[in-house]
Structures are given as C-alpha cells and as structure tokens.
C-alpha cells in the first residue's frame, strides 16, 4: 500500500476569465509567454494505491486500485465546459482498478478508471502472446468515455495521451528474425464518438497501419525503416453563400490520408557519443468535398 500527498506549483495556462485551459509539461521557460506560465498554478493531490502480487501453479500477476483527490488554485476550463459550476470545477476525485495476469507465454491486462467530474469512465483491456521465441503479439481494445477527464492521464490513445472520447481496436506483432534483423507491424482502428464536441458533435473513425524494420549493420551502426498509412477525419469549416443575405458557416468532417516513409541511422562514434540521421518523405492528401447547405439548398464547400 502506498499513501501519498503533494502540493506543487506547476506550469499552467490561465485565460482572461481565470480558467485553467491547459498545463505545460515541456519544462521550457525561454520566451516571455512561457515565463508567464511558469509556476502559475498550485496543484494539490492526495490519494492511496494498493496492489496485491500473487503467484501459484504457473500463474502470476497483480491486482489493485487507486483513489485520488486533486485540486487546483483555479477552476478547470474542461470541467466548466462539461457543466460543472465554477465553484466546484477546481477539484475532483478519481478511482481506478487494474489487473495483470500471466501464465507461460500468454498474459492479459485490464485497467478502468472512474471520474467524479464529469461523471464518466474509461477502460482498456488486452492480451499478449509469444507463439515462439523472439516473436511477440498483442491485441487490445479501448473505450474512453466522451466526457471523462483526468489531468494525469497518460493513456494509449490516438489523440495525444488523453483518455477520453475515443474507442479503438489494436493488434501488433514484433519478431526478431536474427541477431541483426528485427521486423514489426501494427494495425489500429479508432473511432471518436464526437469528432469535435464544440464544432462537429458527430462520430468519426479512421485507422493507422505501420510496418517497422531494423538492421544492425555493425556493432556501431543500426538502420531503421518505418512505413505508415493513416486515414483520419478532422473537423473542417464548410462555407456556403446565402446570396445577398451573406454567408453561412458550419463544420464537416474532412478526410485526411497520410503516407510516410522514414529511414533512421544510429551511429555510435564512441562509448559516450552517438549521432542520428533521419530522412523522411511524407504525403498528406485531404479530400475536399461539397456538401448540401441546409439553409440555401445549394452547395457548401469545405474550406
């Protein structure tokens, strides 16, 4: 069991209304804007974590949970936009449960978290398996609540590390073909229940496929190749004319295709000095399309 408490000043962005809009975790204080955000918010956290490790008859693992209460010196914009009153939007509670169980070459894992403000939850679960030595596979499914929020989230997610407004299925494989060659691949299908809550509150989906290969040419040189194909939609402004009455604006999903080829070279010059070179070709194709304007009955064009 671990019990903890802390009080720190952290870098935070506070807008003109006195709301904390985001946290800056880069650690940089180079510009005037970055200096203004330095230690701008006081953060207090209390909580406890308990884990039980077990093992018997070839099965081992751990199960446990956490309880956290956090508070800040100003209301959080995310909580206010979710309908929480300003006076109650500076603190909240989180409760999480986790489990990992392995047996032989297989294992399963699961984690779920409940947030008090807003009242929502997120979870991820998966399984791993090593069919033979040097080959490992993993599959996972995730479902993050549309309104879940945690300032400490570091989740496996398509949109940064926030564990909210996302669903997905993931499958990956990694294989060591020899002492010098290693290959891998993964496919990730994801869905956003709300593409953009503020501008396009409708679902959207996409996928990300990647292939990896590395070759250890010598004891001091390693080449790494990555191929990517990705499809994702973004909320884009659609404009349509109303004739003499002006212009009506709205948002629509804009499909975006990304193809990438990347080649890295890691060179170890000495025991204390290494260099890396990178070459990359990336192509992004956005499909602009016309949609029917609901007011004029004419065509609106994605901008």
């Amino acid at each position: 069991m671990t019990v903890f408490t802390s009080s720190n000043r952290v870098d935070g962005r506070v807008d003109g209304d006195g709301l904390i809009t985001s946290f800056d975790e880069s650690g940089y204080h180079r510009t005037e804007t970055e200096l203004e955000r330095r230690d701008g918010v006081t953060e207090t956290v209390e909580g406890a974590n308990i884990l039980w490790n077990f093992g018997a008859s070839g099965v081992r693992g751990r199960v446990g949970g956490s309880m956290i209460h956090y508070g800040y010196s100003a209301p959080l914009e995310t909580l206010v936009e979710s309908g929480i009153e300003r006076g109650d939007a500076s603190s909240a509670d989180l409760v999480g449960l986790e489990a990992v169980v392995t047996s032989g070459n297989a294992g399963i894992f699961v984690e779920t978290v409940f947030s008090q403000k807003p009242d929502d939850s997120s979870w991820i679960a998966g399984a791993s398996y090593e069919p033979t030595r040097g080959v490992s596979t993993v599959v996972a499914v995730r479902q993050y609540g549309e309104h879940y929020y945690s300032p400490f989230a570091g989740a496996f997610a398509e949109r940064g590390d926030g564990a909210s407004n996302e669903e997905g299925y993931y499958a990956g494989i990694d294989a060591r073909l020899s002492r010098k060659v290693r290959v891998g691949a993964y496919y990730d299908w994801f869905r956003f229940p709300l593409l953009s809550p503020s501008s396009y509150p409708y679902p959207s989906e996409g996928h990300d496929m990647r292939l990896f290969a590395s070759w250890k040419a010598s004891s001091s040189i390693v080449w790494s190749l990555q191929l990517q194909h990705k499809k994702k939609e973004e909320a884009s402004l659609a404009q349509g004319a109303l004739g003499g009455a002006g212009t009506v604006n709205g948002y629509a999903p804009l499909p975006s295709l990304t193809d990438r080829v990347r080649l890295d070279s890691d060179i170890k010059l000495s025991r204390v000095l290494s260099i890396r070179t990178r070459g990359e070709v990336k192509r992004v194709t956005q499909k602009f399309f016309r949609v029917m304007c609901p007011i004029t009955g004419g065509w609106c064009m994605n901008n």
Side-chain angles (χ1 to χ4, degrees):
M1 175 181 289
T2 303
V3 179
F4 53 88
T5 181
S6 68
S7 179
N8 297 301
R9 296 188 68 83
V10 298
D11 296 352
R13 304 181 183 183
V14 182
D15 64 11
D17 295 329
L19 300 177
I20 301 174
T21 59
S22 63
F23 299 98
D24 191 350
E25 300 178 353
S26 68
Y28 290 125
H29 305 109
R30 305 159 299 182
T31 65
E32 182 178 348
T33 300
E34 291 174 345
L35 289 172
E36 290 177 353
R37 298 171 183 163
R38 183 175 185 177
D39 296 340
V41 176
T42 299
E43 174 190 82
T44 59
V45 185
E46 303 92 25
N49 171 263
I50 184 169
L51 283 177
W52 174 47
N53 296 278
F54 62 89
S57 302
V59 177
R60 55 191 174 89
R62 68 175 187 269
V63 294
S66 301
M67 296 182 63
I68 298 174
H69 174 80
Y70 66 84
Y72 291 94
S73 54
L76 294 161
E77 181 185 51
T78 301
L79 298 187
V80 173
E81 290 180 345
S82 299
I84 308 299
E85 296 292 335
R86 285 182 62 109
D88 297 326
S90 60
S91 63
D93 297 324
L94 299 170
V95 177
L97 302 173
E98 60 181 286
V100 177
V101 179
T102 61
S103 177
N105 297 333
I108 59 174
F109 60 90
V110 62
E111 180 183 0
T112 182
V113 185
F114 305 88
S115 61
Q116 175 202 13
K117 303 173 186 177
D119 184 12
D120 210 337
S121 63
S122 294
W123 61 268
I124 183 171
S128 61
Y129 180 62
E130 296 182 6
T132 185
R133 185 176 180 181
V135 179
S136 59
T137 61
V138 63
V139 293
V141 57
R142 62 190 186 274
Q143 184 167 353
Y144 304 149
E146 299 174 13
H147 306 292
Y148 173 83
Y149 175 74
S150 167
F152 315 110
F156 174 74
E158 170 63 25
R159 289 181 168 176
D161 55 7
S164 64
N165 187 35
E166 185 172 316
E167 304 168 0
Y169 298 90
Y170 173 91
I173 184 171
D174 181 80
R176 186 180 294 276
L177 303 182
S178 68
R179 297 178 59 183
K180 295 185 176 181
V181 179
R182 189 169 188 165
V183 296
Y186 76 70
Y187 178 82
D188 184 34
W189 177 89
F190 50 83
R191 179 179 182 271
F192 308 126
L194 304 176
L195 177 58
S196 177
S198 60
S199 58
Y200 193 80
Y202 304 101
S204 172
E205 64 182 52
H207 62 258
D208 185 5
M209 298 182 290
R210 301 201 191 198
L211 299 175
F212 305 89
S214 65
W215 173 46
K216 190 174 183 180
S218 67
S219 58
S220 58
I221 301 177
V222 177
W223 293 91
S224 301
L225 176 68
Q226 178 184 153
L227 306 177
Q228 179 192 22
H229 175 73
K230 183 176 182 178
K231 178 183 178 181
K232 183 179 179 180
E233 291 182 334
E234 302 174 356
S236 177
L237 182 65
Q239 296 180 337
L242 282 177
T247 301
V248 60
N249 296 329
Y251 283 85
L254 172 63
S256 179
L257 299 176
T258 301
D259 294 288
R260 182 201 312 264
V261 178
R262 174 186 292 177
L263 182 64
D264 291 334
S265 175
D266 293 277
I267 304 174
K268 188 175 182 180
L269 300 178
S270 66
R271 295 178 60 184
V272 296
L273 181 62
S274 299
I275 62 173
R276 166 176 288 185
T277 59
R278 169 174 293 175
E280 179 175 293
V281 178
K282 179 180 179 181
R283 180 182 65 182
V284 178
T285 305
Q286 293 183 324
K287 295 185 177 181
F288 294 87
F289 56 89
R290 296 185 302 175
V291 296
M292 184 71 70
C293 292
I295 299 179
T296 65
W299 290 107
C300 299
M301 180 66 70
N302 267 23
N303 184 19

